[in-house]
Amino acid sequence: MSVTVRIPTILRTYTGGAAEVSVDPAGQDAGETLQGVLDALEAQAPGIRARVLDDTGRLRRFVNVYVDDDDVRFAEGLATATPTGTSVSVIPAVAGG
């Protein structure tokens, strides 16, 4: 089972410059969920989870995560299902004036 994760430029230092990585969350405690994907991603790219999740384990306020085309904030958050073939996109919010 494999899930594709698209990595924004700012986090590619954790993935050796890769813009897209495949992870297998099946062996993670959270299984086929976004949490399992982030756990598997952390195993491959140590330190990246802390850039996506805050100290309480919730998605950071200014990081948007999509499972396929759905914003997980309007789905089930970290419990959003990520079956084989799913695409996860991590997109930092852009602000400024």
Side-chain angles (χ1 to χ4, degrees):
M1 147 169 187
S2 180
V3 172
T4 301
V5 182
R6 294 186 186 126
I7 308 296
T9 303
I10 195 166
L11 298 180
R12 290 181 190 164
T13 55
Y14 296 95
T15 60
E20 194 171 281
V21 296
S22 292
V23 298
D24 182 359
Q28 306 300 318
D29 290 341
E32 297 179 8
T33 64
L34 177 59
Q35 180 69 59
V37 169
L38 293 176
D39 291 346
L41 182 61
E42 176 69 13
Q44 284 184 243
I48 198 167
R49 181 174 44 206
R51 300 294 304 267
V52 178
L53 303 178
D54 66 18
D55 293 340
T56 66
R58 293 183 175 171
L59 289 170
R60 290 191 177 277
R61 184 173 174 199
F62 297 110
V63 176
N64 300 312
V65 179
Y66 293 84
V67 170
D68 289 328
D69 293 329
D70 298 322
D71 186 335
V72 300
R73 291 178 296 179
F74 302 106
E76 296 181 49
L78 294 172
T80 301
T82 56
T84 298
T86 297
S87 178
V88 173
S89 299
V90 177
I91 302 172
V94 176

